[in-house]
PDB file of all heavy atoms in Angstrom:
ATOM      1  N   PHE B   1       6.784  99.221 -16.414  1.00 98.00           N
ATOM      2  CA  PHE B   1       6.205  98.356 -15.383  1.00 98.00           C
ATOM      3  C   PHE B   1       6.359  96.886 -15.752  1.00 98.00           C
ATOM      4  O   PHE B   1       5.975  96.465 -16.842  1.00 98.00           O
ATOM      5  CB  PHE B   1       4.717  98.653 -15.210  1.00 98.00           C
ATOM      6  CG  PHE B   1       4.415  99.855 -14.362  1.00 98.00           C
ATOM      7  CD1 PHE B   1       4.490 101.133 -14.894  1.00 98.00           C
ATOM      8  CD2 PHE B   1       4.033  99.712 -13.033  1.00 98.00           C
ATOM      9  CE1 PHE B   1       4.199 102.256 -14.122  1.00 98.00           C
ATOM     10  CE2 PHE B   1       3.734 100.816 -12.252  1.00 98.00           C
ATOM     11  CZ  PHE B   1       3.816 102.088 -12.792  1.00 98.00           C
ATOM     12  N   ASN B   2       6.896  96.109 -14.822  1.00 98.00           N
ATOM     13  CA  ASN B   2       6.995  94.655 -14.926  1.00 98.00           C
ATOM     14  C   ASN B   2       5.864  94.089 -14.066  1.00 98.00           C
ATOM     15  O   ASN B   2       5.890  94.198 -12.841  1.00 98.00           O
ATOM     16  CB  ASN B   2       8.352  94.198 -14.397  1.00 98.00           C
ATOM     17  CG  ASN B   2       8.713  92.790 -14.799  1.00 98.00           C
ATOM     18  OD1 ASN B   2       9.598  92.595 -15.619  1.00 98.00           O
ATOM     19  ND2 ASN B   2       8.065  91.790 -14.214  1.00 98.00           N
ATOM     20  N   ILE B   3       4.853  93.490 -14.687  1.00 98.00           N
ATOM     21  CA  ILE B   3       3.604  93.178 -13.987  1.00 98.00           C
ATOM     22  C   ILE B   3       3.402  91.668 -13.882  1.00 98.00           C
ATOM     23  O   ILE B   3       3.264  90.971 -14.890  1.00 98.00           O
ATOM     24  CB  ILE B   3       2.413  93.818 -14.722  1.00 98.00           C
ATOM     25  CG1 ILE B   3       2.607  95.336 -14.836  1.00 98.00           C
ATOM     26  CG2 ILE B   3       1.108  93.493 -14.006  1.00 98.00           C
ATOM     27  CD1 ILE B   3       1.621  96.009 -15.785  1.00 98.00           C
ATOM     28  N   ASP B   4       3.372  91.178 -12.643  1.00 98.00           N
ATOM     29  CA  ASP B   4       3.133  89.764 -12.361  1.00 98.00           C
ATOM     30  C   ASP B   4       1.652  89.593 -12.020  1.00 98.00           C
ATOM     31  O   ASP B   4       1.171  90.125 -11.019  1.00 98.00           O
ATOM     32  CB  ASP B   4       4.017  89.330 -11.190  1.00 98.00           C
ATOM     33  CG  ASP B   4       3.883  87.852 -10.856  1.00 98.00           C
ATOM     34  OD1 ASP B   4       3.146  87.137 -11.555  1.00 98.00           O
ATOM     35  OD2 ASP B   4       4.513  87.421  -9.877  1.00 98.00           O
ATOM     36  N   ILE B   5       0.940  88.844 -12.853  1.00 98.00           N
ATOM     37  CA  ILE B   5      -0.502  88.661 -12.679  1.00 98.00           C
ATOM     38  C   ILE B   5      -0.717  87.433 -11.795  1.00 98.00           C
ATOM     39  O   ILE B   5      -0.380  86.313 -12.175  1.00 98.00           O
ATOM     40  CB  ILE B   5      -1.188  88.525 -14.038  1.00 98.00           C
ATOM     41  CG1 ILE B   5      -0.900  89.783 -14.867  1.00 98.00           C
ATOM     42  CG2 ILE B   5      -2.685  88.329 -13.878  1.00 98.00           C
ATOM     43  CD1 ILE B   5      -0.940  89.556 -16.338  1.00 98.00           C
ATOM     44  N   LYS B   6      -1.314  87.656 -10.633  1.00 98.00           N
ATOM     45  CA  LYS B   6      -1.328  86.642  -9.591  1.00 98.00           C
ATOM     46  C   LYS B   6      -2.466  85.636  -9.685  1.00 98.00           C
ATOM     47  O   LYS B   6      -2.364  84.538  -9.123  1.00 98.00           O
ATOM     48  CB  LYS B   6      -1.372  87.325  -8.212  1.00 98.00           C
ATOM     49  CG  LYS B   6      -0.088  88.057  -7.850  1.00 98.00           C
ATOM     50  CD  LYS B   6       1.069  87.088  -7.749  1.00 98.00           C
ATOM     51  CE  LYS B   6       2.318  87.751  -7.196  1.00 98.00           C
ATOM     52  NZ  LYS B   6       3.446  86.801  -7.121  1.00 98.00           N
ATOM     53  N   THR B   7      -3.569  86.007 -10.326  1.00 98.00           N
ATOM     54  CA  THR B   7      -4.707  85.092 -10.401  1.00 98.00           C
ATOM     55  C   THR B   7      -5.315  85.119 -11.794  1.00 98.00           C
ATOM     56  O   THR B   7      -5.160  86.098 -12.533  1.00 98.00           O
ATOM     57  CB  THR B   7      -5.803  85.484  -9.388  1.00 98.00           C
ATOM     58  OG1 THR B   7      -6.369  86.743  -9.767  1.00 98.00           O
ATOM     59  CG2 THR B   7      -5.260  85.567  -7.972  1.00 98.00           C
ATOM     60  N   ASP B   8      -6.037  84.066 -12.125  1.00 98.00           N
ATOM     61  CA  ASP B   8      -6.722  84.027 -13.414  1.00 98.00           C
ATOM     62  C   ASP B   8      -7.731  85.176 -13.526  1.00 98.00           C
ATOM     63  O   ASP B   8      -7.880  85.781 -14.588  1.00 98.00           O
ATOM     64  CB  ASP B   8      -7.448  82.690 -13.590  1.00 98.00           C
ATOM     65  CG  ASP B   8      -6.494  81.519 -13.776  1.00 98.00           C
ATOM     66  OD1 ASP B   8      -5.296  81.759 -14.052  1.00 98.00           O
ATOM     67  OD2 ASP B   8      -6.938  80.367 -13.633  1.00 98.00           O
ATOM     68  N   ALA B   9      -8.419  85.454 -12.428  1.00 98.00           N
ATOM     69  CA  ALA B   9      -9.450  86.496 -12.459  1.00 98.00           C
ATOM     70  C   ALA B   9      -8.871  87.881 -12.711  1.00 98.00           C
ATOM     71  O   ALA B   9      -9.582  88.778 -13.166  1.00 98.00           O
ATOM     72  CB  ALA B   9     -10.232  86.492 -11.144  1.00 98.00           C
ATOM     73  N   ALA B  10      -7.582  88.060 -12.422  1.00 98.00           N
ATOM     74  CA  ALA B  10      -6.946  89.365 -12.617  1.00 98.00           C
ATOM     75  C   ALA B  10      -6.472  89.587 -14.042  1.00 98.00           C
ATOM     76  O   ALA B  10      -6.086  90.706 -14.404  1.00 98.00           O
ATOM     77  CB  ALA B  10      -5.766  89.527 -11.663  1.00 98.00           C
ATOM     78  N   ALA B  11      -6.501  88.548 -14.880  1.00 98.00           N
ATOM     79  CA  ALA B  11      -5.918  88.643 -16.223  1.00 98.00           C
ATOM     80  C   ALA B  11      -6.612  89.689 -17.076  1.00 98.00           C
ATOM     81  O   ALA B  11      -5.974  90.611 -17.609  1.00 98.00           O
ATOM     82  CB  ALA B  11      -5.952  87.280 -16.905  1.00 98.00           C
ATOM     83  N   GLU B  12      -7.907  89.571 -17.246  1.00 98.00           N
ATOM     84  CA  GLU B  12      -8.614  90.496 -18.119  1.00 98.00           C
ATOM     85  C   GLU B  12      -8.661  91.915 -17.551  1.00 98.00           C
ATOM     86  O   GLU B  12      -8.476  92.880 -18.309  1.00 98.00           O
ATOM     87  CB  GLU B  12     -10.004  89.954 -18.446  1.00 98.00           C
ATOM     88  CG  GLU B  12      -9.919  88.692 -19.305  1.00 98.00           C
ATOM     89  CD  GLU B  12     -11.253  88.242 -19.872  1.00 98.00           C
ATOM     90  OE1 GLU B  12     -12.215  89.042 -19.844  1.00 98.00           O
ATOM     91  OE2 GLU B  12     -11.323  87.104 -20.363  1.00 98.00           O
ATOM     92  N   PRO B  13      -8.882  92.111 -16.243  1.00 98.00           N
ATOM     93  CA  PRO B  13      -8.799  93.472 -15.705  1.00 98.00           C
ATOM     94  C   PRO B  13      -7.423  94.104 -15.894  1.00 98.00           C
ATOM     95  O   PRO B  13      -7.313  95.317 -16.134  1.00 98.00           O
ATOM     96  CB  PRO B  13      -9.132  93.281 -14.222  1.00 98.00           C
ATOM     97  CG  PRO B  13     -10.005  92.078 -14.187  1.00 98.00           C
ATOM     98  CD  PRO B  13      -9.434  91.167 -15.244  1.00 98.00           C
ATOM     99  N   THR B  14      -6.371  93.295 -15.805  1.00 98.00           N
ATOM    100  CA  THR B  14      -5.026  93.824 -16.033  1.00 98.00           C
ATOM    101  C   THR B  14      -4.867  94.289 -17.468  1.00 98.00           C
ATOM    102  O   THR B  14      -4.385  95.404 -17.729  1.00 98.00           O
ATOM    103  CB  THR B  14      -3.968  92.748 -15.715  1.00 98.00           C
ATOM    104  OG1 THR B  14      -4.032  92.427 -14.326  1.00 98.00           O
ATOM    105  CG2 THR B  14      -2.569  93.238 -16.063  1.00 98.00           C
ATOM    106  N   ALA B  15      -5.283  93.456 -18.410  1.00 98.00           N
ATOM    107  CA  ALA B  15      -5.193  93.831 -19.819  1.00 98.00           C
ATOM    108  C   ALA B  15      -6.026  95.076 -20.102  1.00 98.00           C
ATOM    109  O   ALA B  15      -5.595  95.971 -20.849  1.00 98.00           O
ATOM    110  CB  ALA B  15      -5.663  92.671 -20.692  1.00 98.00           C
ATOM    111  N   ARG B  16      -7.190  95.168 -19.502  1.00 98.00           N
ATOM    112  CA  ARG B  16      -8.052  96.329 -19.717  1.00 98.00           C
ATOM    113  C   ARG B  16      -7.385  97.606 -19.206  1.00 98.00           C
ATOM    114  O   ARG B  16      -7.423  98.649 -19.877  1.00 98.00           O
ATOM    115  CB  ARG B  16      -9.402  96.112 -19.033  1.00 98.00           C
ATOM    116  CG  ARG B  16     -10.398  97.238 -19.259  1.00 98.00           C
ATOM    117  CD  ARG B  16     -11.791  96.833 -18.838  1.00 98.00           C
ATOM    118  NE  ARG B  16     -11.862  96.456 -17.431  1.00 98.00           N
ATOM    119  CZ  ARG B  16     -12.089  95.223 -16.996  1.00 98.00           C
ATOM    120  NH1 ARG B  16     -12.247  94.225 -17.849  1.00 98.00           N
ATOM    121  NH2 ARG B  16     -12.155  94.971 -15.699  1.00 98.00           N
ATOM    122  N   ALA B  17      -6.784  97.545 -18.015  1.00 98.00           N
ATOM    123  CA  ALA B  17      -6.117  98.721 -17.460  1.00 98.00           C
ATOM    124  C   ALA B  17      -4.969  99.173 -18.351  1.00 98.00           C
ATOM    125  O   ALA B  17      -4.777 100.375 -18.583  1.00 98.00           O
ATOM    126  CB  ALA B  17      -5.610  98.415 -16.055  1.00 98.00           C
ATOM    127  N   ILE B  18      -4.196  98.223 -18.864  1.00 98.00           N
ATOM    128  CA  ILE B  18      -3.064  98.551 -19.733  1.00 98.00           C
ATOM    129  C   ILE B  18      -3.556  99.178 -21.041  1.00 98.00           C
ATOM    130  O   ILE B  18      -3.007 100.179 -21.505  1.00 98.00           O
ATOM    131  CB  ILE B  18      -2.219  97.291 -19.998  1.00 98.00           C
ATOM    132  CG1 ILE B  18      -1.538  96.844 -18.691  1.00 98.00           C
ATOM    133  CG2 ILE B  18      -1.176  97.547 -21.092  1.00 98.00           C
ATOM    134  CD1 ILE B  18      -0.931  95.462 -18.766  1.00 98.00           C
ATOM    135  N   ARG B  19      -4.592  98.590 -21.617  1.00 98.00           N
ATOM    136  CA  ARG B  19      -5.154  99.162 -22.849  1.00 98.00           C
ATOM    137  C   ARG B  19      -5.716 100.560 -22.604  1.00 98.00           C
ATOM    138  O   ARG B  19      -5.477 101.481 -23.389  1.00 98.00           O
ATOM    139  CB  ARG B  19      -6.260  98.258 -23.397  1.00 98.00           C
ATOM    140  CG  ARG B  19      -5.780  97.029 -24.127  1.00 98.00           C
ATOM    141  CD  ARG B  19      -6.896  96.431 -24.976  1.00 98.00           C
ATOM    142  NE  ARG B  19      -8.105  96.199 -24.195  1.00 98.00           N
ATOM    143  CZ  ARG B  19      -8.403  95.053 -23.585  1.00 98.00           C
ATOM    144  NH1 ARG B  19      -7.571  94.029 -23.666  1.00 98.00           N
ATOM    145  NH2 ARG B  19      -9.520  94.920 -22.904  1.00 98.00           N
ATOM    146  N   ASP B  20      -6.468 100.723 -21.524  1.00 98.00           N
ATOM    147  CA  ASP B  20      -7.099 102.016 -21.248  1.00 98.00           C
ATOM    148  C   ASP B  20      -6.077 103.120 -21.053  1.00 98.00           C
ATOM    149  O   ASP B  20      -6.316 104.282 -21.404  1.00 98.00           O
ATOM    150  CB  ASP B  20      -7.995 101.919 -20.008  1.00 98.00           C
ATOM    151  CG  ASP B  20      -9.269 101.118 -20.256  1.00 98.00           C
ATOM    152  OD1 ASP B  20      -9.554 100.803 -21.427  1.00 98.00           O
ATOM    153  OD2 ASP B  20      -9.965 100.798 -19.267  1.00 98.00           O
ATOM    154  N   GLN B  21      -4.918 102.764 -20.509  1.00 98.00           N
ATOM    155  CA  GLN B  21      -3.856 103.752 -20.285  1.00 98.00           C
ATOM    156  C   GLN B  21      -2.884 103.823 -21.461  1.00 98.00           C
ATOM    157  O   GLN B  21      -1.888 104.541 -21.388  1.00 98.00           O
ATOM    158  CB  GLN B  21      -3.090 103.414 -18.994  1.00 98.00           C
ATOM    159  CG  GLN B  21      -3.914 103.557 -17.725  1.00 98.00           C
ATOM    160  CD  GLN B  21      -4.429 104.957 -17.524  1.00 98.00           C
ATOM    161  OE1 GLN B  21      -3.689 105.922 -17.719  1.00 98.00           O
ATOM    162  NE2 GLN B  21      -5.693 105.095 -17.129  1.00 98.00           N
ATOM    163  N   ARG B  22      -3.176 103.074 -22.508  1.00 97.00           N
ATOM    164  CA  ARG B  22      -2.314 103.040 -23.693  1.00 97.00           C
ATOM    165  C   ARG B  22      -0.857 102.772 -23.294  1.00 97.00           C
ATOM    166  O   ARG B  22       0.072 103.428 -23.772  1.00 97.00           O
ATOM    167  CB  ARG B  22      -2.425 104.355 -24.469  1.00 97.00           C
ATOM    168  CG  ARG B  22      -3.841 104.619 -24.969  1.00 97.00           C
ATOM    169  CD  ARG B  22      -3.937 105.885 -25.781  1.00 97.00           C
ATOM    170  NE  ARG B  22      -5.305 106.089 -26.259  1.00 97.00           N
ATOM    171  CZ  ARG B  22      -5.697 107.118 -27.006  1.00 97.00           C
ATOM    172  NH1 ARG B  22      -4.815 108.039 -27.376  1.00 97.00           N
ATOM    173  NH2 ARG B  22      -6.952 107.229 -27.382  1.00 97.00           N
ATOM    174  N   ALA B  23      -0.695 101.771 -22.453  1.00 98.00           N
ATOM    175  CA  ALA B  23       0.614 101.495 -21.860  1.00 98.00           C
ATOM    176  C   ALA B  23       1.254 100.210 -22.360  1.00 98.00           C
ATOM    177  O   ALA B  23       2.285  99.780 -21.829  1.00 98.00           O
ATOM    178  CB  ALA B  23       0.474 101.424 -20.332  1.00 98.00           C
ATOM    179  N   THR B  24       0.690  99.597 -23.396  1.00 98.00           N
ATOM    180  CA  THR B  24       1.200  98.310 -23.863  1.00 98.00           C
ATOM    181  C   THR B  24       2.690  98.341 -24.171  1.00 98.00           C
ATOM    182  O   THR B  24       3.416  97.386 -23.876  1.00 98.00           O
ATOM    183  CB  THR B  24       0.421  97.846 -25.112  1.00 98.00           C
ATOM    184  OG1 THR B  24      -0.959  97.755 -24.789  1.00 98.00           O
ATOM    185  CG2 THR B  24       0.921  96.508 -25.611  1.00 98.00           C
ATOM    186  N   ALA B  25       3.169  99.433 -24.738  1.00 97.00           N
ATOM    187  CA  ALA B  25       4.568  99.505 -25.158  1.00 97.00           C
ATOM    188  C   ALA B  25       5.540  99.638 -23.997  1.00 97.00           C
ATOM    189  O   ALA B  25       6.739  99.435 -24.177  1.00 97.00           O
ATOM    190  CB  ALA B  25       4.758 100.684 -26.120  1.00 97.00           C
ATOM    191  N   ARG B  26       5.048  99.956 -22.800  1.00 98.00           N
ATOM    192  CA  ARG B  26       5.973 100.191 -21.681  1.00 98.00           C
ATOM    193  C   ARG B  26       5.752  99.231 -20.516  1.00 98.00           C
ATOM    194  O   ARG B  26       6.166  99.498 -19.396  1.00 98.00           O
ATOM    195  CB  ARG B  26       5.888 101.637 -21.202  1.00 98.00           C
ATOM    196  CG  ARG B  26       4.534 102.096 -20.700  1.00 98.00           C
ATOM    197  CD  ARG B  26       4.567 103.593 -20.364  1.00 98.00           C
ATOM    198  NE  ARG B  26       3.286 104.088 -19.902  1.00 98.00           N
ATOM    199  CZ  ARG B  26       2.917 104.192 -18.631  1.00 98.00           C
ATOM    200  NH1 ARG B  26       3.765 103.827 -17.672  1.00 98.00           N
ATOM    201  NH2 ARG B  26       1.748 104.667 -18.284  1.00 98.00           N
ATOM    202  N   VAL B  27       5.105  98.113 -20.805  1.00 98.00           N
ATOM    203  CA  VAL B  27       4.938  97.110 -19.765  1.00 98.00           C
ATOM    204  C   VAL B  27       5.453  95.762 -20.254  1.00 98.00           C
ATOM    205  O   VAL B  27       5.522  95.495 -21.457  1.00 98.00           O
ATOM    206  CB  VAL B  27       3.460  96.959 -19.328  1.00 98.00           C
ATOM    207  CG1 VAL B  27       2.882  98.294 -18.875  1.00 98.00           C
ATOM    208  CG2 VAL B  27       2.605  96.347 -20.426  1.00 98.00           C
ATOM    209  N   LEU B  28       5.793  94.919 -19.293  1.00 98.00           N
ATOM    210  CA  LEU B  28       6.015  93.503 -19.514  1.00 98.00           C
ATOM    211  C   LEU B  28       5.011  92.789 -18.633  1.00 98.00           C
ATOM    212  O   LEU B  28       4.872  93.117 -17.452  1.00 98.00           O
ATOM    213  CB  LEU B  28       7.440  93.100 -19.159  1.00 98.00           C
ATOM    214  CG  LEU B  28       7.790  91.598 -19.275  1.00 98.00           C
ATOM    215  CD1 LEU B  28       9.243  91.410 -19.684  1.00 98.00           C
ATOM    216  CD2 LEU B  28       7.523  90.849 -17.966  1.00 98.00           C
ATOM    217  N   VAL B  29       4.295  91.826 -19.193  1.00 98.00           N
ATOM    218  CA  VAL B  29       3.340  91.049 -18.410  1.00 98.00           C
ATOM    219  C   VAL B  29       3.873  89.632 -18.254  1.00 98.00           C
ATOM    220  O   VAL B  29       4.480  89.077 -19.176  1.00 98.00           O
ATOM    221  CB  VAL B  29       1.941  91.038 -19.046  1.00 98.00           C
ATOM    222  CG1 VAL B  29       1.337  92.434 -19.029  1.00 98.00           C
ATOM    223  CG2 VAL B  29       1.966  90.494 -20.466  1.00 98.00           C
ATOM    224  N   THR B  30       3.640  89.082 -17.084  1.00 98.00           N
ATOM    225  CA  THR B  30       4.126  87.736 -16.832  1.00 98.00           C
ATOM    226  C   THR B  30       3.285  87.081 -15.759  1.00 98.00           C
ATOM    227  O   THR B  30       2.444  87.718 -15.110  1.00 98.00           O
ATOM    228  CB  THR B  30       5.615  87.754 -16.419  1.00 98.00           C
ATOM    229  OG1 THR B  30       6.132  86.419 -16.454  1.00 98.00           O
ATOM    230  CG2 THR B  30       5.806  88.353 -15.038  1.00 98.00           C
ATOM    231  N   SER B  31       3.519  85.790 -15.567  1.00 98.00           N
ATOM    232  CA  SER B  31       2.859  85.028 -14.520  1.00 98.00           C
ATOM    233  C   SER B  31       3.640  83.739 -14.328  1.00 98.00           C
ATOM    234  O   SER B  31       4.274  83.240 -15.265  1.00 98.00           O
ATOM    235  CB  SER B  31       1.413  84.711 -14.897  1.00 98.00           C
ATOM    236  OG  SER B  31       0.818  83.881 -13.920  1.00 98.00           O
ATOM    237  N   PHE B  32       3.596  83.184 -13.133  1.00 97.00           N
ATOM    238  CA  PHE B  32       4.175  81.865 -12.927  1.00 97.00           C
ATOM    239  C   PHE B  32       3.385  80.811 -13.697  1.00 97.00           C
ATOM    240  O   PHE B  32       3.912  79.770 -14.051  1.00 97.00           O
ATOM    241  CB  PHE B  32       4.189  81.517 -11.431  1.00 97.00           C
ATOM    242  CG  PHE B  32       5.283  82.211 -10.667  1.00 97.00           C
ATOM    243  CD1 PHE B  32       5.033  83.389  -9.982  1.00 97.00           C
ATOM    244  CD2 PHE B  32       6.561  81.690 -10.633  1.00 97.00           C
ATOM    245  CE1 PHE B  32       6.033  84.032  -9.290  1.00 97.00           C
ATOM    246  CE2 PHE B  32       7.579  82.318  -9.936  1.00 97.00           C
ATOM    247  CZ  PHE B  32       7.309  83.500  -9.257  1.00 97.00           C
ATOM    248  N   ASN B  33       2.121  81.108 -13.971  1.00 98.00           N
ATOM    249  CA  ASN B  33       1.226  80.184 -14.658  1.00 98.00           C
ATOM    250  C   ASN B  33       1.273  80.436 -16.161  1.00 98.00           C
ATOM    251  O   ASN B  33       1.011  81.546 -16.619  1.00 98.00           O
ATOM    252  CB  ASN B  33      -0.195  80.388 -14.120  1.00 98.00           C
ATOM    253  CG  ASN B  33      -1.205  79.469 -14.763  1.00 98.00           C
ATOM    254  OD1 ASN B  33      -1.622  79.702 -15.893  1.00 98.00           O
ATOM    255  ND2 ASN B  33      -1.602  78.433 -14.047  1.00 98.00           N
ATOM    256  N   GLU B  34       1.590  79.411 -16.957  1.00 98.00           N
ATOM    257  CA  GLU B  34       1.756  79.596 -18.400  1.00 98.00           C
ATOM    258  C   GLU B  34       0.445  79.911 -19.106  1.00 98.00           C
ATOM    259  O   GLU B  34       0.395  80.766 -20.006  1.00 98.00           O
ATOM    260  CB  GLU B  34       2.413  78.358 -19.009  1.00 98.00           C
ATOM    261  CG  GLU B  34       2.509  78.370 -20.527  1.00 98.00           C
ATOM    262  CD  GLU B  34       3.316  79.529 -21.093  1.00 98.00           C
ATOM    263  OE1 GLU B  34       3.988  80.253 -20.327  1.00 98.00           O
ATOM    264  OE2 GLU B  34       3.276  79.709 -22.329  1.00 98.00           O
ATOM    265  N   GLN B  35      -0.629  79.242 -18.732  1.00 98.00           N
ATOM    266  CA  GLN B  35      -1.909  79.518 -19.374  1.00 98.00           C
ATOM    267  C   GLN B  35      -2.334  80.963 -19.137  1.00 98.00           C
ATOM    268  O   GLN B  35      -2.829  81.645 -20.034  1.00 98.00           O
ATOM    269  CB  GLN B  35      -2.975  78.554 -18.850  1.00 98.00           C
ATOM    270  CG  GLN B  35      -4.325  78.703 -19.537  1.00 98.00           C
ATOM    271  CD  GLN B  35      -5.324  77.657 -19.075  1.00 98.00           C
ATOM    272  OE1 GLN B  35      -5.016  76.795 -18.249  1.00 98.00           O
ATOM    273  NE2 GLN B  35      -6.527  77.728 -19.606  1.00 98.00           N
ATOM    274  N   ARG B  36      -2.134  81.440 -17.922  1.00 98.00           N
ATOM    275  CA  ARG B  36      -2.484  82.830 -17.589  1.00 98.00           C
ATOM    276  C   ARG B  36      -1.615  83.805 -18.359  1.00 98.00           C
ATOM    277  O   ARG B  36      -2.102  84.809 -18.888  1.00 98.00           O
ATOM    278  CB  ARG B  36      -2.322  83.041 -16.088  1.00 98.00           C
ATOM    279  CG  ARG B  36      -2.840  84.382 -15.565  1.00 98.00           C
ATOM    280  CD  ARG B  36      -2.547  84.508 -14.072  1.00 98.00           C
ATOM    281  NE  ARG B  36      -3.058  83.331 -13.366  1.00 98.00           N
ATOM    282  CZ  ARG B  36      -2.494  82.806 -12.277  1.00 98.00           C
ATOM    283  NH1 ARG B  36      -1.381  83.337 -11.787  1.00 98.00           N
ATOM    284  NH2 ARG B  36      -3.022  81.750 -11.695  1.00 98.00           N
ATOM    285  N   ARG B  37      -0.321  83.515 -18.445  1.00 98.00           N
ATOM    286  CA  ARG B  37       0.588  84.392 -19.201  1.00 98.00           C
ATOM    287  C   ARG B  37       0.142  84.482 -20.655  1.00 98.00           C
ATOM    288  O   ARG B  37       0.048  85.578 -21.225  1.00 98.00           O
ATOM    289  CB  ARG B  37       2.022  83.855 -19.122  1.00 98.00           C
ATOM    290  CG  ARG B  37       3.050  84.749 -19.797  1.00 98.00           C
ATOM    291  CD  ARG B  37       4.374  84.019 -19.993  1.00 98.00           C
ATOM    292  NE  ARG B  37       4.284  83.025 -21.059  1.00 98.00           N
ATOM    293  CZ  ARG B  37       4.416  83.300 -22.369  1.00 98.00           C
ATOM    294  NH1 ARG B  37       4.640  84.541 -22.780  1.00 98.00           N
ATOM    295  NH2 ARG B  37       4.334  82.335 -23.261  1.00 98.00           N
TER     296      ARG B  37
END
Protein backbone atom coordinates (compact mmCIF):
# COMPACT_ATOMS: atom_id res chain seq x y z
CA PHE A 1 0.00 0.00 0.00
CA ASN A 2 1.19 3.48 -1.01
CA ILE A 3 -0.59 5.74 1.50
CA ASP A 4 -1.03 9.50 1.05
CA ILE A 5 -1.99 11.10 4.38
CA LYS A 6 -4.26 14.02 3.59
CA THR A 7 -4.55 15.85 6.91
CA ASP A 8 -2.56 16.37 10.08
CA ALA A 9 -5.37 14.80 12.10
CA ALA A 10 -5.09 11.60 10.04
CA ALA A 11 -1.39 11.09 10.82
CA GLU A 12 -1.60 9.29 14.14
CA PRO A 13 -4.68 7.19 13.24
CA THR A 14 -2.87 6.10 10.08
CA ALA A 15 0.21 5.06 12.02
CA ARG A 16 -1.95 3.24 14.55
CA ALA A 17 -3.78 1.27 11.85
CA ILE A 18 -0.49 0.25 10.23
CA ARG A 19 1.00 -0.82 13.55
CA ASP A 20 -2.14 -2.72 14.59
CA GLN A 21 -2.10 -4.67 11.32
CA ARG A 22 1.66 -5.23 11.55
CA ALA A 23 1.93 -3.78 8.07
CA THR A 24 4.91 -1.44 8.41
CA ALA A 25 7.07 -3.53 6.09
CA ARG A 26 4.55 -3.45 3.23
CA VAL A 27 3.52 0.17 3.15
CA LEU A 28 4.98 3.45 1.99
CA VAL A 29 3.69 6.56 3.76
CA THR A 30 3.82 9.98 2.24
CA SER A 31 2.23 13.41 2.19
CA PHE A 32 2.52 16.61 0.19
CA ASN A 33 3.23 18.23 3.56
CA GLU A 34 6.78 17.64 4.85
CA GLN A 35 6.02 18.10 8.54
CA ARG A 36 3.18 15.58 8.29
CA ARG A 37 5.35 13.10 6.38
